[in-house]
Amino acid sequence: MIYESRNSTDDQLTFYCAKNYSGHPHLHKNLEVIFCCSGRVQVPISGTVCTLTTGQGAVIPPNAVHSFLTEQTSLFYVIQAGQQQVRDVVQLFRDRVPSGYGFCVDEDMRRRLQSTLEGKTWSPFDVKALLYQAVAAFVQSNTFAPGRTADMQMLSRVIDYVQERFHEPLTLEDVARHLGYSYSYVSKQVKQGLGMSFSDFLARCRVSYAQALLGEGETSISQVALQAGFGSIRNFNRVFLRVTGETPRAYQKDGMEADGARELLLALERE
């Protein structure tokens, strides 16, 4: 599970295309809206699986753990907006839980989406108009019930702190003390908000960083273990295997073989 700090700035507004994309569980502070233009994609959101086909979309609340699974050729567009950009939309999810996350993309919305895509440079006003039109359809398609949600402000501080210090020896007690919360409160909020224990979250942050280093292929496995915050190579191997299903050495080898295949393909294309 990855925390995307690059998608967690308050004033961000991005609009991009994803083709045949599958992604591991992750979260960020931004609101996210998805429009499925072709194919089929599964989007698990906070424990609920939202299956999108052509003409359907989904709204992903800030700090919601989600992922993407493409089972066939697919094309979908994504809007990500910082909380400062869409304060009123973010308020929809404060202490309320939606019955679902999907909505239908009607003909007017499709025309607006197409018009935005055809523009050489898209206007922030066009993108926000499309976002609010999608949110309106989402609100009409789902109901909201009172429900306890995690303390997202505190959770964001915990996530930021872990992202800055995961390579150091770190415990839940350290985080709670630094942020001025009780151990039990932080533990409960992390479990409720992320769907996993603090130790699991920390392990996934470290493994995610280790995967990036292993993918570069320029650092030894023992050095990767130390730089990622694991106290020993034995602990690194054990946790990496538990999280990814393979050893660090196998992961690094798979990455090198994939790079070699890409280089061979490029060489053949040049001939």
Side-chain angles (χ1 to χ4, degrees):
M1 204 275 299
I2 302 171
Y3 173 66
E4 295 184 341
S5 56
R6 69 183 184 279
N7 292 324
S8 297
T9 56
D10 286 340
D11 58 351
Q12 183 175 348
L13 183 64
T14 56
F15 180 48
Y16 62 91
C17 169
K19 186 176 182 179
N20 302 333
Y21 175 72
S22 292
H24 294 293
H26 62 283
L27 76 159
H28 44 70
K29 294 179 185 177
N30 288 356
L31 178 86
E32 191 166 348
V33 179
I34 303 166
F35 305 87
C36 183
C37 294
S38 64
R40 183 172 183 266
V41 57
Q42 287 189 338
V43 191
I45 307 170
S46 297
T48 300
V49 178
C50 190
T51 301
L52 306 180
T53 56
T54 304
Q56 296 180 319
V59 174
I60 303 174
N63 292 313
V65 178
H66 60 286
S67 59
F68 300 96
L69 178 60
T70 300
E71 299 180 343
Q72 56 179 303
T73 301
S74 69
L75 177 69
F76 59 97
Y77 288 87
V78 179
I79 297 176
Q80 287 187 347
Q83 295 191 29
Q84 191 70 19
Q85 294 273 359
V86 285
R87 287 183 179 178
D88 46 355
V89 180
V90 173
Q91 290 296 321
L92 288 172
F93 302 97
R94 190 174 299 278
D95 295 325
R96 297 202 303 168
V97 179
S99 57
Y101 297 94
F103 63 88
C104 290
V105 180
D106 61 23
E107 187 59 35
D108 184 56
M109 204 182 309
R110 276 194 287 269
R111 284 197 297 266
R112 186 182 292 275
L113 178 61
Q114 188 63 37
S115 175
T116 304
L117 293 173
E118 290 175 350
K120 293 183 179 179
T121 57
W122 52 264
S123 161
F125 298 106
D126 292 333
V127 174
K128 289 187 75 171
L130 183 58
L131 183 151
Y132 275 95
Q133 191 171 5
V135 170
F138 160 73
V139 171
Q140 292 175 358
S141 303
N142 298 279
T143 58
F144 288 83
R148 284 192 168 189
T149 57
D151 183 342
M152 288 305 178
Q153 183 176 4
M154 185 279 290
L155 190 59
S156 294
R157 293 182 66 197
V158 170
I159 293 171
D160 288 341
Y161 188 77
V162 171
Q163 288 293 308
E164 292 173 0
R165 299 177 180 271
F166 67 83
H167 55 282
E168 303 173 1
L170 192 63
T171 65
L172 179 56
E173 290 88 342
D174 296 331
V175 176
R177 182 169 55 252
H178 177 82
L179 299 180
Y181 296 100
S182 69
Y183 171 93
S184 59
Y185 184 71
V186 175
S187 177
K188 179 181 179 182
Q189 293 301 314
V190 169
K191 182 67 175 178
Q192 183 177 348
L194 302 183
M196 65 185 73
S197 67
F198 175 82
S199 60
D200 282 342
F201 172 60
L202 178 60
R204 289 174 181 270
C205 288
R206 288 172 171 169
V207 167
S208 176
Y209 182 72
Q211 286 178 302
L213 293 180
L214 291 170
E216 294 172 358
E218 299 177 356
T219 309
S220 68
I221 291 179
S222 59
Q223 284 298 314
V224 168
L226 293 175
Q227 291 182 34
F230 292 94
S232 68
I233 187 70
R234 180 179 180 183
N235 186 43
F236 175 46
N237 286 328
R238 179 179 59 80
V239 175
F240 195 97
L241 178 62
R242 174 169 60 83
V243 172
T244 68
E246 60 182 336
T247 65
R249 190 171 302 280
Y251 180 87
Q252 189 177 54
K253 181 181 178 182
D254 291 344
M256 293 173 65
E257 289 177 348
D259 288 341
R262 281 192 291 269
E263 290 176 3
L264 177 59
L265 180 60
L266 290 173
L268 291 173
E269 290 175 345
R270 288 193 293 267
E271 293 180 355

